[in-house]
Amino acid sequence: MKPLLAILLAGCAATAAAQDGWLWIDDGLARLGVDLKAGACIGWFSRSGGENLLNTFDAGRYLQQSYYGDEDGSDWNGKPWRYNPVQGGSWRNEPSAVIEQRAEAGLIYAKTRPRHWATGKVLSEIVMEQWLRLENGAARMKFRVTHKGGTSHAPRHQELPALFVQPVLDTLVFAGAAGALVRKQPGFPNEYFRPGKGWAAWVDARDQGIGIWCPHAELLTCYGVRAGDRGDCSYLAPLRTFALTPGMVFEYETALVIGALEEMRARLEKMKPARW
């Protein structure tokens, strides 16, 4: 991994391109890819020329927007479910509808009509948008959801965003309320933690991995699947509680970095909102 100083001084200009149903940006330090066949979800983040750290096992994985409303009688593979617009698509891997996309001047933009995770219905009342760019090897991301429907839902924990990574990154690290590092190896089902410094990271046995900047998080939820097959993954979502209501527009910003734990921590704790 490159040292933090090299990352901060590189200042490479990002290039944007489209290829084989993907949109790509690369700044010579990191590479970010958006899968247009999965609702324009972020399906690749790596060092430039390196291996992908994100997990794309099904439409519900990826790094993506996902929101929750009230119980609606829907069924997810035999499990009672609720109103759940998912950017990637349904549990049957039916892709959401990308209605606008572009990659230019180092920026990716996409607009998506999501599917209901359980029923597979395209939800015309929900629009998801995203703006993505690279900044000295960090992925800067802005997400927006617009609710154009007429139904009010009760407040729920919302994933901001849902992040799935490769299972080799099996240790969750974050700063607690007093600033000391907390290390967890969560299993299944979900566990919940309260971050103290607005970031968290998944790392491997060498303390190398991927970190997320999430100053908006009230809680973190996470789990690990370790069945020894292709479905294994590590999952994390910064959570905030709010309701999907008619006319609602909700927007937030987050970021990803790659590297050694202490390098990621130093960068994430100094991170400020981007200028879009």
Side-chain angles (χ1 to χ4, degrees):
M1 299 292 183
K2 290 181 169 61
L4 178 63
L5 184 60
I7 293 175
L8 295 176
L9 295 180
C12 300
T15 58
Q19 184 179 21
D20 298 329
W22 285 72
L23 302 179
W24 298 96
I25 45 177
D26 194 312
D27 68 352
L29 295 171
R31 181 171 174 81
L32 182 74
V34 164
D35 189 352
L36 298 176
K37 304 179 298 297
C41 288
I42 301 167
W44 187 287
F45 187 53
S46 70
R47 292 291 195 197
S48 185
E51 295 183 359
N52 187 20
L53 299 183
L54 301 185
N55 188 296
T56 60
F57 177 70
D58 61 34
R61 303 274 176 102
Y62 292 81
L63 190 160
Q64 63 179 304
Q65 295 187 71
S66 172
Y67 301 96
Y68 296 91
D70 295 342
E71 291 82 0
D72 58 4
S74 62
D75 178 280
W76 167 22
N77 197 24
K79 181 179 181 180
W81 208 238
R82 63 179 66 245
Y83 185 77
N84 182 196
V86 173
Q87 183 181 351
S90 75
W91 74 275
R92 296 182 180 88
N93 288 324
E94 303 162 295
S96 294
V98 179
I99 54 180
E100 187 178 345
Q101 52 84 15
R102 59 181 180 270
E104 56 190 12
L107 176 74
I108 289 176
Y109 169 79
K111 181 185 291 186
T112 301
R113 293 200 186 279
R115 286 190 187 266
H116 191 302
W117 175 247
T119 69
K121 179 183 178 182
V122 174
L123 300 175
S124 59
E125 70 275 16
I126 300 289
V127 175
M128 296 177 178
E129 297 174 273
Q130 62 187 19
W131 293 260
L132 315 170
R133 63 183 177 86
L134 294 174
E135 181 182 279
N136 294 322
R140 304 301 300 250
M141 301 168 285
K142 183 171 72 171
F143 297 110
R144 177 187 295 161
V145 60
T146 302
H147 183 348
K148 299 181 178 181
T151 301
S152 291
H153 297 265
R156 307 287 177 190
H157 284 333
Q158 308 293 358
E159 299 171 301
L160 304 177
L163 170 64
F164 290 84
V165 302
Q166 302 295 353
V168 67
L169 305 174
D170 62 357
T171 301
L172 179 70
V173 185
F174 57 94
L181 290 184
V182 178
R183 293 174 177 268
K184 299 287 183 179
Q185 289 189 315
F188 193 85
N190 297 53
E191 297 182 45
Y192 293 84
F193 305 104
R194 192 172 299 277
K197 295 291 184 178
W199 66 273
W202 282 110
V203 298
D204 62 15
R206 301 176 299 119
D207 264 0
Q208 302 279 343
I210 185 170
I212 184 168
W213 179 62
C214 49
H216 52 275
E218 299 168 340
L219 290 171
L220 302 175
T221 186
C222 59
Y223 62 73
V225 176
R226 307 286 182 257
D229 57 30
R230 290 180 59 247
D232 285 3
C233 70
S234 296
Y235 158 81
L236 166 68
L239 297 181
R240 189 166 168 179
T241 302
F242 61 86
L244 299 176
T245 57
M248 183 202 76
V249 179
F250 179 79
E251 183 176 291
Y252 69 98
E253 184 180 346
T254 185
L256 292 178
V257 297
I258 297 173
L261 175 59
E262 287 302 327
E263 293 177 349
M264 293 192 294
R265 180 185 188 182
R267 192 168 190 191
L268 291 166
E269 290 189 356
K270 294 178 180 178
M271 192 163 282
K272 304 294 183 183
R275 295 183 177 180
W276 294 94

Coordinates of all heavy atoms in Angstrom, one line a residue, residues 186-243:
P186 N -17.8 -9.4 13.8 CA -19.2 -9.7 13.9 C -19.6 -10.9 13.1 O -19.0 -11.2 12.1 CB -19.9 -8.5 13.4 CG -18.9 -7.8 12.5 CD -17.6 -8.1 13.1
G187 N -20.6 -11.7 13.7 CA -21.1 -12.8 12.9 C -22.5 -12.4 12.4 O -22.7 -11.3 12.0
F188 N -23.4 -13.3 12.4 CA -24.7 -13.1 11.8 C -25.7 -13.5 12.9 O -25.5 -14.5 13.5 CB -24.9 -13.9 10.5 CG -26.1 -13.5 9.7 CD1 -26.0 -12.5 8.8 CD2 -27.3 -14.2 9.9 CE1 -27.1 -12.1 8.1 CE2 -28.4 -13.8 9.1 CZ -28.3 -12.8 8.2
P189 N -26.8 -12.8 13.1 CA -27.3 -11.6 12.4 C -26.6 -10.3 12.8 O -25.6 -10.4 13.5 CB -28.8 -11.6 12.7 CG -28.9 -12.2 14.1 CD -27.8 -13.2 14.1
N190 N -27.3 -9.2 12.5 CA -26.7 -7.9 12.7 C -26.3 -7.6 14.1 O -27.0 -8.0 15.1 CB -27.7 -6.8 12.3 CG -28.0 -6.8 10.8 OD1 -28.4 -7.8 10.3 ND2 -27.8 -5.7 10.2
E191 N -25.2 -6.9 14.3 CA -24.8 -6.3 15.6 C -24.9 -4.8 15.4 O -24.8 -4.3 14.2 CB -23.5 -6.7 16.0 CG -23.4 -8.2 16.3 CD -22.0 -8.7 16.8 OE1 -21.5 -8.0 17.6 OE2 -21.5 -9.7 16.3
Y192 N -25.0 -4.0 16.5 CA -25.1 -2.6 16.4 C -24.0 -1.9 17.3 O -23.8 -2.4 18.5 CB -26.5 -2.1 16.8 CG -27.6 -2.5 15.9 CD1 -28.1 -3.8 16.0 CD2 -28.0 -1.7 14.9 CE1 -29.1 -4.2 15.1 CE2 -29.0 -2.0 14.0 CZ -29.6 -3.3 14.1 OH -30.5 -3.7 13.2
F193 N -23.4 -0.8 16.9 CA -22.4 -0.1 17.6 C -22.6 1.4 17.4 O -23.2 1.8 16.4 CB -21.0 -0.5 17.2 CG -20.8 -2.0 17.3 CD1 -20.7 -2.8 16.1 CD2 -20.6 -2.6 18.5 CE1 -20.5 -4.1 16.1 CE2 -20.3 -4.0 18.5 CZ -20.3 -4.7 17.4
R194 N -22.1 2.2 18.4 CA -22.2 3.6 18.3 C -20.8 4.2 18.0 O -19.9 4.1 18.9 CB -22.8 4.2 19.5 CG -23.1 5.7 19.4 CD -23.9 6.2 20.6 NE -25.1 5.4 20.8 CZ -26.3 5.7 20.2 NH1 -26.3 6.7 19.3 NH2 -27.4 5.0 20.5
P195 N -20.5 4.7 16.8 CA -19.2 5.3 16.5 C -18.9 6.6 17.3 O -19.9 7.4 17.5 CB -19.2 5.5 15.0 CG -20.7 5.8 14.7 CD -21.5 5.0 15.7
G196 N -17.7 6.9 17.6 CA -17.3 8.1 18.3 C -16.7 9.2 17.4 O -16.7 10.3 17.8
K197 N -16.2 8.8 16.2 CA -15.4 9.7 15.4 C -15.9 9.8 14.0 O -15.2 10.4 13.1 CB -13.9 9.4 15.4 CG -13.3 9.5 16.8 CD -13.2 10.9 17.2 CE -12.4 11.0 18.6 NZ -12.2 12.4 19.0
G198 N -17.1 9.3 13.6 CA -17.6 9.4 12.3 C -16.9 8.6 11.2 O -16.9 9.1 10.1
W199 N -16.4 7.5 11.6 CA -15.8 6.6 10.5 C -15.7 5.2 11.1 O -15.9 4.9 12.3 CB -14.3 7.1 10.2 CG -13.4 6.9 11.3 CD1 -13.1 7.8 12.3 CD2 -12.6 5.8 11.6 NE1 -12.2 7.3 13.2 CE2 -11.8 6.1 12.8 CE3 -12.4 4.5 11.0 CZ2 -10.9 5.2 13.4 CZ3 -11.5 3.6 11.6 CH2 -10.8 3.9 12.8
A200 N -15.5 4.3 10.1 CA -15.4 2.8 10.5 C -14.6 2.2 9.3 O -14.5 2.7 8.2 CB -16.7 2.1 10.7
A201 N -14.0 1.1 9.6 CA -13.2 0.4 8.6 C -13.3 -1.1 8.7 O -13.4 -1.6 9.9 CB -11.7 0.8 8.7
W202 N -13.2 -1.8 7.6 CA -13.0 -3.3 7.6 C -11.6 -3.5 7.2 O -11.1 -3.0 6.2 CB -13.9 -3.9 6.5 CG -15.4 -4.1 6.9 CD1 -16.4 -3.4 6.4 CD2 -15.9 -5.0 7.8 NE1 -17.6 -3.8 7.0 CE2 -17.3 -4.8 7.8 CE3 -15.3 -6.0 8.7 CZ2 -18.2 -5.6 8.7 CZ3 -16.2 -6.7 9.5 CH2 -17.6 -6.5 9.5
V203 N -10.9 -4.3 8.0 CA -9.5 -4.6 7.7 C -9.2 -6.2 7.8 O -10.0 -6.9 8.4 CB -8.5 -3.9 8.7 CG1 -8.7 -2.4 8.6 CG2 -8.8 -4.4 10.2
D204 N -8.1 -6.6 7.2 CA -7.7 -8.0 7.2 C -6.7 -8.2 8.3 O -6.5 -7.4 9.2 CB -7.2 -8.4 5.8 CG -5.9 -7.6 5.4 OD1 -5.3 -7.0 6.3 OD2 -5.5 -7.6 4.2
A205 N -6.1 -9.4 8.3 CA -5.2 -9.8 9.4 C -3.9 -8.9 9.4 O -3.3 -8.8 10.5 CB -4.8 -11.2 9.2
R206 N -3.6 -8.2 8.4 CA -2.5 -7.2 8.3 C -2.9 -5.8 8.6 O -2.1 -4.9 8.4 CB -1.8 -7.3 6.9 CG -1.3 -8.7 6.6 CD -0.7 -8.8 5.2 NE -1.7 -8.4 4.2 CZ -1.6 -7.4 3.4 NH1 -0.6 -6.6 3.4 NH2 -2.6 -7.2 2.5
D207 N -4.1 -5.6 9.0 CA -4.7 -4.2 9.3 C -4.7 -3.4 8.0 O -4.6 -2.2 8.1 CB -3.9 -3.5 10.4 CG -4.6 -3.7 11.7 OD1 -5.6 -4.3 11.8 OD2 -4.1 -3.1 12.7
Q208 N -4.9 -4.0 6.9 CA -5.1 -3.3 5.6 C -6.5 -3.5 5.2 O -7.1 -4.5 5.4 CB -4.2 -3.9 4.5 CG -2.7 -3.9 4.8 CD -2.1 -2.6 4.5 OE1 -2.6 -1.7 3.8 NE2 -0.9 -2.3 5.0
G209 N -7.1 -2.4 4.6 CA -8.5 -2.6 4.2 C -9.1 -1.3 3.6 O -8.5 -0.6 2.9
I210 N -10.4 -1.2 4.0 CA -11.2 -0.1 3.4 C -11.9 0.6 4.5 O -12.5 0.0 5.4 CB -12.2 -0.7 2.3 CG1 -13.0 0.4 1.6 CG2 -13.2 -1.7 3.0 CD1 -13.8 -0.1 0.4
G211 N -11.9 2.0 4.5 CA -12.6 2.7 5.5 C -13.7 3.6 4.9 O -13.6 4.1 3.8
I212 N -14.7 3.9 5.7 CA -15.8 4.8 5.3 C -15.9 6.0 6.2 O -15.9 5.8 7.4 CB -17.1 4.0 5.1 CG1 -18.2 4.9 4.6 CG2 -17.5 3.4 6.5 CD1 -19.5 4.1 4.1
W213 N -16.0 7.2 5.6 CA -16.3 8.4 6.4 C -17.8 8.5 6.5 O -18.5 8.6 5.5 CB -15.7 9.6 5.6 CG -15.9 10.9 6.2 CD1 -15.4 11.3 7.5 CD2 -16.5 12.0 5.6 NE1 -15.8 12.6 7.7 CE2 -16.5 13.1 6.6 CE3 -17.2 12.2 4.4 CZ2 -17.0 14.3 6.3 CZ3 -17.7 13.5 4.1 CH2 -17.6 14.5 5.1
C214 N -18.3 8.6 7.7 CA -19.8 8.7 7.9 C -20.1 9.6 9.1 O -20.7 9.1 10.1 CB -20.3 7.3 8.1 SG -19.4 6.3 9.3
P215 N -19.9 10.9 9.0 CA -20.2 11.8 10.1 C -21.7 11.9 10.4 O -22.0 12.4 11.5 CB -19.6 13.1 9.6 CG -19.7 13.0 8.1 CD -19.4 11.6 7.8
H216 N -22.5 11.4 9.5 CA -24.0 11.5 9.7 C -24.5 10.3 10.5 O -25.7 10.3 10.8 CB -24.7 11.5 8.3 CG -24.2 10.3 7.4 ND1 -23.1 10.4 6.7 CD2 -24.7 9.1 7.2 CE1 -22.9 9.3 6.0 NE2 -23.8 8.5 6.3
A217 N -23.7 9.3 10.8 CA -24.2 8.1 11.4 C -24.5 8.3 12.9 O -23.7 8.8 13.7 CB -23.1 7.0 11.3
E218 N -25.7 7.8 13.3 CA -26.1 7.7 14.7 C -25.7 6.4 15.3 O -25.3 6.3 16.4 CB -27.6 7.9 14.8 CG -28.1 9.2 14.3 CD -29.6 9.3 14.2 OE1 -30.3 8.2 14.1 OE2 -30.1 10.4 14.1
L219 N -25.7 5.3 14.4 CA -25.3 4.0 14.8 C -24.6 3.3 13.6 O -24.7 3.8 12.4 CB -26.5 3.1 15.1 CG -27.3 3.4 16.4 CD1 -28.6 2.5 16.4 CD2 -26.4 3.0 17.6
L220 N -23.9 2.2 13.9 CA -23.4 1.4 12.8 C -24.1 0.0 13.0 O -24.2 -0.5 14.1 CB -21.9 1.1 12.9 CG -21.0 2.4 12.9 CD1 -19.5 1.9 13.1 CD2 -21.1 3.1 11.5
T221 N -24.5 -0.6 11.9 CA -24.9 -2.0 11.9 C -24.0 -2.8 11.0 O -23.5 -2.3 10.0 CB -26.4 -2.1 11.5 OG1 -26.8 -3.5 11.7 CG2 -26.6 -1.8 10.0
C222 N -23.8 -4.0 11.4 CA -22.8 -4.8 10.6 C -23.1 -6.3 10.9 O -23.7 -6.7 11.8 CB -21.4 -4.5 11.1 SG -21.1 -4.8 12.8
Y223 N -22.5 -7.1 10.0 CA -22.5 -8.6 10.2 C -21.4 -9.2 9.2 O -20.9 -8.5 8.3 CB -23.9 -9.2 9.9 CG -24.5 -9.1 8.5 CD1 -24.0 -9.8 7.4 CD2 -25.6 -8.3 8.3 CE1 -24.5 -9.8 6.2 CE2 -26.2 -8.2 7.0 CZ -25.6 -9.0 6.0 OH -26.2 -8.9 4.7
G224 N -21.1 -10.4 9.5 CA -20.2 -11.2 8.7 C -20.8 -12.5 8.4 O -21.4 -13.2 9.2
V225 N -20.7 -12.9 7.1 CA -21.2 -14.2 6.7 C -19.9 -15.1 6.4 O -19.1 -14.7 5.6 CB -22.1 -14.2 5.4 CG1 -22.5 -15.6 5.0 CG2 -23.3 -13.3 5.7
R226 N -19.8 -16.2 7.1 CA -18.6 -17.0 7.0 C -19.0 -18.5 6.8 O -18.7 -19.3 7.7 CB -17.7 -16.8 8.3 CG -17.4 -15.4 8.7 CD -16.3 -14.8 7.7 NE -16.0 -13.4 8.2 CZ -16.5 -12.3 7.6 NH1 -17.2 -12.4 6.5 NH2 -16.1 -11.1 8.0
A227 N -19.6 -18.7 5.7 CA -20.1 -20.1 5.4 C -19.1 -20.9 4.6 O -19.3 -22.1 4.3 CB -21.4 -20.1 4.7
G228 N -18.0 -20.2 4.2 CA -17.0 -20.9 3.4 C -17.3 -21.1 1.9 O -16.8 -21.9 1.2
D229 N -18.2 -20.2 1.4 CA -18.6 -20.3 0.0 C -18.6 -18.9 -0.6 O -18.2 -17.9 0.0 CB -19.9 -21.0 -0.2 CG -21.1 -20.4 0.5 OD1 -21.1 -19.2 0.7 OD2 -22.0 -21.1 0.9
R230 N -19.1 -18.8 -1.9 CA -19.1 -17.5 -2.6 C -20.0 -16.5 -2.0 O -19.9 -15.3 -2.2 CB -19.6 -17.8 -4.1 CG -18.6 -18.5 -4.9 CD -19.2 -18.7 -6.3 NE -19.4 -17.4 -7.0 CZ -20.7 -17.0 -7.3 NH1 -21.7 -17.7 -7.0 NH2 -20.8 -15.8 -7.9
G231 N -20.9 -16.9 -1.1 CA -21.8 -15.9 -0.4 C -21.2 -15.2 0.7 O -21.8 -14.3 1.3
D232 N -20.0 -15.6 1.1 CA -19.4 -14.9 2.3 C -19.1 -13.4 2.0 O -18.8 -13.0 0.9 CB -18.0 -15.6 2.6 CG -18.2 -16.9 3.2 OD1 -19.3 -17.4 3.4 OD2 -17.1 -17.5 3.6
C233 N -19.3 -12.6 3.1 CA -19.1 -11.2 2.9 C -18.9 -10.6 4.3 O -19.2 -11.2 5.3 CB -20.3 -10.5 2.2 SG -21.8 -10.5 3.1
S234 N -18.5 -9.3 4.3 CA -18.6 -8.4 5.4 C -19.5 -7.2 5.1 O -19.3 -6.7 4.0 CB -17.2 -8.0 5.8 OG -16.4 -9.0 6.2
Y235 N -20.4 -6.9 6.0 CA -21.4 -5.8 5.7 C -21.3 -4.8 6.8 O -21.1 -5.1 8.0 CB -22.8 -6.5 5.7 CG -23.9 -5.5 5.9 CD1 -24.4 -4.7 4.9 CD2 -24.5 -5.4 7.2 CE1 -25.5 -3.8 5.2 CE2 -25.6 -4.5 7.4 CZ -26.0 -3.7 6.4 OH -27.1 -2.9 6.7
L236 N -21.5 -3.5 6.4 CA -21.6 -2.4 7.3 C -22.5 -1.4 6.7 O -22.5 -1.1 5.5 CB -20.2 -1.8 7.5 CG -20.1 -0.4 8.1 CD1 -20.5 -0.5 9.6 CD2 -18.7 0.2 8.0
A237 N -23.3 -0.7 7.6 CA -24.1 0.4 7.2 C -24.1 1.4 8.3 O -24.5 1.1 9.4 CB -25.5 0.0 6.8
P238 N -23.7 2.7 8.0 CA -24.0 3.8 8.9 C -25.5 4.0 8.9 O -26.2 4.0 7.9 CB -23.3 5.0 8.3 CG -22.3 4.4 7.3 CD -22.9 3.1 6.8
L239 N -26.1 4.2 10.1 CA -27.5 4.3 10.2 C -27.9 5.7 10.8 O -27.3 6.3 11.6 CB -28.1 3.2 11.2 CG -27.9 1.8 10.8 CD1 -28.5 0.9 11.9 CD2 -28.5 1.5 9.5
R240 N -29.1 6.1 10.3 CA -29.7 7.3 10.8 C -31.2 7.0 10.7 O -31.7 6.4 9.7 CB -29.4 8.5 10.0 CG -29.8 9.8 10.6 CD -29.1 11.0 9.9 NE -29.7 12.3 10.2 CZ -29.2 13.4 9.7 NH1 -28.2 13.4 8.9 NH2 -29.8 14.6 10.0
T241 N -32.0 7.5 11.7 CA -33.4 7.2 11.7 C -34.3 8.3 11.1 O -34.2 9.5 11.6 CB -33.9 6.9 13.1 OG1 -33.1 5.8 13.6 CG2 -35.4 6.5 13.2
F242 N -35.0 8.0 10.1 CA -36.0 9.0 9.6 C -37.1 8.3 8.8 O -36.9 7.1 8.5 CB -35.3 10.1 8.7 CG -34.6 9.6 7.5 CD1 -35.2 9.5 6.3 CD2 -33.2 9.4 7.6 CE1 -34.5 9.0 5.2 CE2 -32.5 9.0 6.5 CZ -33.2 8.8 5.3
A243 N -38.1 9.0 8.4 CA -39.3 8.4 7.7 C -39.3 8.8 6.2 O -38.9 9.9 5.9 CB -40.6 8.9 8.3

